[in-house]
């Protein structure tokens, strides 16, 4: 039986300065509303547009869904805490945040891998694309991604729940995560940290290497395509590569280290918890003519339906 005397934690947030807290409030509110608007617009566009029925947009739909939930598991709490003098979070809420942030973060990793697989098949095996990436296959792969994310986050929450907390309860972070929680545990956390690195760290690092290697193969194979085909494929692949670097860079920095924390950790974590979900819709829409055209069509339909009323 664990000796847990701690019923709540105090989150120090990104800053304790009252003026800077106002800046945090405005910045995070803007980023969160932008994330919701951008991702929900992509979700609605893909769901209603017949032109976006290919596997690539099926995976993009789920990426936007994952981004929405990932930012929602963290941003509202940060926004609310920026208005309060003392920010506390109950033990149960903290554990829920650990589970949800790791679930949707891991789901995003798996979806990015599936999007790379989709681009590889589309560019390197174009004649067999619709056979290999059928609706049934894509649905099965997506189901595996959700199950895999659940397995990962269940392992993370098991590690968190196995830690005994019997004294310090101040988390020097803006959300509950295993790294800052390890510092508060009143036990030797060496083995737990090894398990954390072998789980989260390995998933981030191996996935990043696999993704970069796959895109090298894809870009190398473009030599055999026409100029127009190369331009279109490059546009899509570059969007994916930008998203991968923005998301995986900070993740690898945070989760592949020993149990040490740096002052910059909180700012770096902002990139993959808030920044990436905000930027993904911009990256995928600004560089994708099909999505932009589908959004225009959706907007025109709305205007026409409004006029008929």
């Amino acid at each position: 039986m664990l000796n847990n005397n701690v019923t709540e934690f105090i989150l120090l947030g990104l800053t304790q300065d009252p003026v800077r807290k106002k800046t945090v409030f405005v910045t995070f509110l803007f980023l969160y509303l932008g994330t919701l608007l951008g991702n929900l617009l992509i979700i609605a566009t893909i769901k209603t547009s017949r032109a976006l029925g290919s596997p690539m947009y099926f995976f993009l739909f789920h990426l936007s869904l994952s981004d929405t939930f990932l930012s929602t598991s963290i941003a509202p709490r940060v926004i609310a805490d920026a208005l309060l003098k003392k920010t506390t979070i109950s033990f149960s809420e903290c554990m829920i945040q650990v589970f949800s942030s790791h679930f949707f973060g891991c789901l995003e990793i798996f979806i990015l891998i599936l999007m790379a697989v989709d681009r590889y098949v589309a560019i390197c095996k174009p004649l067999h694309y619709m056979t290999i990436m059928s609706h049934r296959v894509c649905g099965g792969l997506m189901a595996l991604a959700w199950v895999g994310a659940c397995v990962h986050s269940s392992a993370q929450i098991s590690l968190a729940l196995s830690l005994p907390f019997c004294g310090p309860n101040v988390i020097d972070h803006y959300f509950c995560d295993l790294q800052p929680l390890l510092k508060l545990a009143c036990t030797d956390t060496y083995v737990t940290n090894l398990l954390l690195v072998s789980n989260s760290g390995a998933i981030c690092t191996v996935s990043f290497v696999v993704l970069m290697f796959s895109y090298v193969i894809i870009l190398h194979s473009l030599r055999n395509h026409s100029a127009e085909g190369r331009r279109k494929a490059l546009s899509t692949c570059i969007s994916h590569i930008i998203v991968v670097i923005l998301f995986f860079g900070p993740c690898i920095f945070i989760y592949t280290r020993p149990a040490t924390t740096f002052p910059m950790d909180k700012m770096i974590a902002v990139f993959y918890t808030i920044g990436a979900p905000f930027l993904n819709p911009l990256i995928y829409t600004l560089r994708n003519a099909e999505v932009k055209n589908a959004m225009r069509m959706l907007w025109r339909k709305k205007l026409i339906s409004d006029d008929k009323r």
Side-chain angles (χ1 to χ4, degrees), residues 54-69:
S54 69
M56 182 174 77
Y57 297 113
F58 171 77
F59 294 130
L60 179 56
F61 172 88
H62 283 274
L63 181 68
S64 293
L65 206 61
S66 177
D67 278 336
T68 302
F69 286 122

PDB file of all heavy atoms in Angstrom, residues 54-69:
ATOM      1  N   SER A  54      -9.418  10.853 -49.734  1.00  0.00           N
ATOM      2  CA  SER A  54      -8.248   9.976 -49.811  1.00  0.00           C
ATOM      3  C   SER A  54      -7.726   9.642 -48.415  1.00  0.00           C
ATOM      4  O   SER A  54      -8.013  10.348 -47.441  1.00  0.00           O
ATOM      5  CB  SER A  54      -7.146  10.639 -50.639  1.00  0.00           C
ATOM      6  OG  SER A  54      -6.615  11.752 -49.938  1.00  0.00           O
ATOM      7  N   PRO A  55      -6.936   8.572 -48.293  1.00  0.00           N
ATOM      8  CA  PRO A  55      -6.388   8.173 -46.983  1.00  0.00           C
ATOM      9  C   PRO A  55      -5.603   9.291 -46.282  1.00  0.00           C
ATOM     10  O   PRO A  55      -5.639   9.382 -45.055  1.00  0.00           O
ATOM     11  CB  PRO A  55      -5.469   7.000 -47.341  1.00  0.00           C
ATOM     12  CG  PRO A  55      -6.084   6.412 -48.565  1.00  0.00           C
ATOM     13  CD  PRO A  55      -6.619   7.579 -49.331  1.00  0.00           C
ATOM     14  N   MET A  56      -4.897  10.127 -47.064  1.00  0.00           N
ATOM     15  CA  MET A  56      -4.120  11.204 -46.464  1.00  0.00           C
ATOM     16  C   MET A  56      -4.992  12.115 -45.611  1.00  0.00           C
ATOM     17  O   MET A  56      -4.618  12.515 -44.503  1.00  0.00           O
ATOM     18  CB  MET A  56      -3.422  12.039 -47.550  1.00  0.00           C
ATOM     19  CG  MET A  56      -2.555  13.160 -46.979  1.00  0.00           C
ATOM     20  SD  MET A  56      -1.607  14.035 -48.226  1.00  0.00           S
ATOM     21  CE  MET A  56      -2.862  15.064 -48.967  1.00  0.00           C
ATOM     22  N   TYR A  57      -6.188  12.421 -46.110  1.00  0.00           N
ATOM     23  CA  TYR A  57      -7.095  13.318 -45.383  1.00  0.00           C
ATOM     24  C   TYR A  57      -7.832  12.582 -44.258  1.00  0.00           C
ATOM     25  O   TYR A  57      -8.243  13.210 -43.276  1.00  0.00           O
ATOM     26  CB  TYR A  57      -8.067  13.977 -46.355  1.00  0.00           C
ATOM     27  CG  TYR A  57      -7.336  14.838 -47.347  1.00  0.00           C
ATOM     28  CD1 TYR A  57      -7.289  14.498 -48.701  1.00  0.00           C
ATOM     29  CD2 TYR A  57      -6.632  15.961 -46.935  1.00  0.00           C
ATOM     30  CE1 TYR A  57      -6.581  15.266 -49.600  1.00  0.00           C
ATOM     31  CE2 TYR A  57      -5.921  16.735 -47.832  1.00  0.00           C
ATOM     32  CZ  TYR A  57      -5.895  16.387 -49.167  1.00  0.00           C
ATOM     33  OH  TYR A  57      -5.176  17.142 -50.053  1.00  0.00           O
ATOM     34  N   PHE A  58      -7.948  11.272 -44.390  1.00  0.00           N
ATOM     35  CA  PHE A  58      -8.484  10.462 -43.294  1.00  0.00           C
ATOM     36  C   PHE A  58      -7.558  10.565 -42.080  1.00  0.00           C
ATOM     37  O   PHE A  58      -8.007  10.772 -40.946  1.00  0.00           O
ATOM     38  CB  PHE A  58      -8.618   9.001 -43.746  1.00  0.00           C
ATOM     39  CG  PHE A  58      -8.963   8.038 -42.640  1.00  0.00           C
ATOM     40  CD1 PHE A  58     -10.258   7.954 -42.149  1.00  0.00           C
ATOM     41  CD2 PHE A  58      -7.986   7.209 -42.093  1.00  0.00           C
ATOM     42  CE1 PHE A  58     -10.581   7.058 -41.123  1.00  0.00           C
ATOM     43  CE2 PHE A  58      -8.298   6.316 -41.075  1.00  0.00           C
ATOM     44  CZ  PHE A  58      -9.598   6.243 -40.590  1.00  0.00           C
ATOM     45  N   PHE A  59      -6.242  10.458 -42.330  1.00  0.00           N
ATOM     46  CA  PHE A  59      -5.261  10.573 -41.245  1.00  0.00           C
ATOM     47  C   PHE A  59      -5.167  12.016 -40.745  1.00  0.00           C
ATOM     48  O   PHE A  59      -4.988  12.242 -39.541  1.00  0.00           O
ATOM     49  CB  PHE A  59      -3.895  10.075 -41.713  1.00  0.00           C
ATOM     50  CG  PHE A  59      -3.855   8.604 -42.014  1.00  0.00           C
ATOM     51  CD1 PHE A  59      -3.322   8.141 -43.219  1.00  0.00           C
ATOM     52  CD2 PHE A  59      -4.362   7.675 -41.116  1.00  0.00           C
ATOM     53  CE1 PHE A  59      -3.291   6.782 -43.505  1.00  0.00           C
ATOM     54  CE2 PHE A  59      -4.335   6.304 -41.395  1.00  0.00           C
ATOM     55  CZ  PHE A  59      -3.796   5.863 -42.589  1.00  0.00           C
ATOM     56  N   LEU A  60      -5.286  12.982 -41.654  1.00  0.00           N
ATOM     57  CA  LEU A  60      -5.251  14.394 -41.251  1.00  0.00           C
ATOM     58  C   LEU A  60      -6.445  14.717 -40.347  1.00  0.00           C
ATOM     59  O   LEU A  60      -6.316  15.500 -39.391  1.00  0.00           O
ATOM     60  CB  LEU A  60      -5.251  15.302 -42.488  1.00  0.00           C
ATOM     61  CG  LEU A  60      -5.229  16.814 -42.238  1.00  0.00           C
ATOM     62  CD1 LEU A  60      -4.038  17.220 -41.374  1.00  0.00           C
ATOM     63  CD2 LEU A  60      -5.217  17.575 -43.554  1.00  0.00           C
ATOM     64  N   PHE A  61      -7.599  14.120 -40.635  1.00  0.00           N
ATOM     65  CA  PHE A  61      -8.785  14.294 -39.798  1.00  0.00           C
ATOM     66  C   PHE A  61      -8.495  13.855 -38.361  1.00  0.00           C
ATOM     67  O   PHE A  61      -8.800  14.565 -37.393  1.00  0.00           O
ATOM     68  CB  PHE A  61      -9.944  13.470 -40.390  1.00  0.00           C
ATOM     69  CG  PHE A  61     -11.176  13.414 -39.524  1.00  0.00           C
ATOM     70  CD1 PHE A  61     -12.153  14.393 -39.622  1.00  0.00           C
ATOM     71  CD2 PHE A  61     -11.357  12.381 -38.616  1.00  0.00           C
ATOM     72  CE1 PHE A  61     -13.296  14.343 -38.830  1.00  0.00           C
ATOM     73  CE2 PHE A  61     -12.486  12.318 -37.815  1.00  0.00           C
ATOM     74  CZ  PHE A  61     -13.463  13.301 -37.927  1.00  0.00           C
ATOM     75  N   HIS A  62      -7.877  12.679 -38.228  1.00  0.00           N
ATOM     76  CA  HIS A  62      -7.573  12.162 -36.894  1.00  0.00           C
ATOM     77  C   HIS A  62      -6.442  12.950 -36.222  1.00  0.00           C
ATOM     78  O   HIS A  62      -6.434  13.077 -34.994  1.00  0.00           O
ATOM     79  CB  HIS A  62      -7.221  10.677 -36.978  1.00  0.00           C
ATOM     80  CG  HIS A  62      -8.412   9.783 -37.142  1.00  0.00           C
ATOM     81  ND1 HIS A  62      -9.149   9.318 -36.077  1.00  0.00           N
ATOM     82  CD2 HIS A  62      -9.017   9.309 -38.259  1.00  0.00           C
ATOM     83  CE1 HIS A  62     -10.145   8.573 -36.517  1.00  0.00           C
ATOM     84  NE2 HIS A  62     -10.093   8.554 -37.837  1.00  0.00           N
ATOM     85  N   LEU A  63      -5.509  13.483 -37.017  1.00  0.00           N
ATOM     86  CA  LEU A  63      -4.450  14.330 -36.451  1.00  0.00           C
ATOM     87  C   LEU A  63      -5.054  15.593 -35.853  1.00  0.00           C
ATOM     88  O   LEU A  63      -4.681  16.008 -34.746  1.00  0.00           O
ATOM     89  CB  LEU A  63      -3.426  14.692 -37.522  1.00  0.00           C
ATOM     90  CG  LEU A  63      -2.248  15.566 -37.048  1.00  0.00           C
ATOM     91  CD1 LEU A  63      -1.339  14.786 -36.102  1.00  0.00           C
ATOM     92  CD2 LEU A  63      -1.445  16.099 -38.240  1.00  0.00           C
ATOM     93  N   SER A  64      -5.990  16.207 -36.563  1.00  0.00           N
ATOM     94  CA  SER A  64      -6.661  17.409 -36.060  1.00  0.00           C
ATOM     95  C   SER A  64      -7.484  17.103 -34.812  1.00  0.00           C
ATOM     96  O   SER A  64      -7.538  17.896 -33.877  1.00  0.00           O
ATOM     97  CB  SER A  64      -7.571  18.007 -37.139  1.00  0.00           C
ATOM     98  OG  SER A  64      -6.802  18.503 -38.211  1.00  0.00           O
ATOM     99  N   LEU A  65      -8.098  15.931 -34.806  1.00  0.00           N
ATOM    100  CA  LEU A  65      -8.860  15.491 -33.632  1.00  0.00           C
ATOM    101  C   LEU A  65      -7.930  15.332 -32.431  1.00  0.00           C
ATOM    102  O   LEU A  65      -8.226  15.806 -31.322  1.00  0.00           O
ATOM    103  CB  LEU A  65      -9.547  14.154 -33.957  1.00  0.00           C
ATOM    104  CG  LEU A  65     -10.827  13.786 -33.203  1.00  0.00           C
ATOM    105  CD1 LEU A  65     -11.935  14.799 -33.463  1.00  0.00           C
ATOM    106  CD2 LEU A  65     -11.280  12.386 -33.614  1.00  0.00           C
ATOM    107  N   SER A  66      -6.778  14.689 -32.666  1.00  0.00           N
ATOM    108  CA  SER A  66      -5.803  14.479 -31.607  1.00  0.00           C
ATOM    109  C   SER A  66      -5.240  15.804 -31.093  1.00  0.00           C
ATOM    110  O   SER A  66      -5.076  16.003 -29.887  1.00  0.00           O
ATOM    111  CB  SER A  66      -4.661  13.589 -32.124  1.00  0.00           C
ATOM    112  OG  SER A  66      -3.671  13.414 -31.137  1.00  0.00           O
ATOM    113  N   ASP A  67      -4.942  16.728 -32.020  1.00  0.00           N
ATOM    114  CA  ASP A  67      -4.441  18.058 -31.649  1.00  0.00           C
ATOM    115  C   ASP A  67      -5.436  18.804 -30.764  1.00  0.00           C
ATOM    116  O   ASP A  67      -5.059  19.458 -29.793  1.00  0.00           O
ATOM    117  CB  ASP A  67      -4.167  18.894 -32.904  1.00  0.00           C
ATOM    118  CG  ASP A  67      -2.823  18.579 -33.532  1.00  0.00           C
ATOM    119  OD1 ASP A  67      -1.940  18.097 -32.805  1.00  0.00           O
ATOM    120  OD2 ASP A  67      -2.655  18.820 -34.734  1.00  0.00           O
ATOM    121  N   THR A  68      -6.714  18.710 -31.133  1.00  0.00           N
ATOM    122  CA  THR A  68      -7.766  19.387 -30.367  1.00  0.00           C
ATOM    123  C   THR A  68      -7.821  18.877 -28.936  1.00  0.00           C
ATOM    124  O   THR A  68      -7.865  19.650 -27.974  1.00  0.00           O
ATOM    125  CB  THR A  68      -9.139  19.178 -31.047  1.00  0.00           C
ATOM    126  OG1 THR A  68      -9.085  19.682 -32.389  1.00  0.00           O
ATOM    127  CG2 THR A  68     -10.237  19.911 -30.293  1.00  0.00           C
ATOM    128  N   PHE A  69      -7.783  17.549 -28.781  1.00  0.00           N
ATOM    129  CA  PHE A  69      -7.850  16.950 -27.447  1.00  0.00           C
ATOM    130  C   PHE A  69      -6.563  17.172 -26.650  1.00  0.00           C
ATOM    131  O   PHE A  69      -6.613  17.381 -25.434  1.00  0.00           O
ATOM    132  CB  PHE A  69      -8.157  15.452 -27.539  1.00  0.00           C
ATOM    133  CG  PHE A  69      -9.586  15.150 -27.906  1.00  0.00           C
ATOM    134  CD1 PHE A  69      -9.892  14.405 -29.037  1.00  0.00           C
ATOM    135  CD2 PHE A  69     -10.631  15.617 -27.120  1.00  0.00           C
ATOM    136  CE1 PHE A  69     -11.206  14.124 -29.377  1.00  0.00           C
ATOM    137  CE2 PHE A  69     -11.959  15.342 -27.448  1.00  0.00           C
ATOM    138  CZ  PHE A  69     -12.244  14.597 -28.574  1.00  0.00           C
TER     139      PHE A  69
END
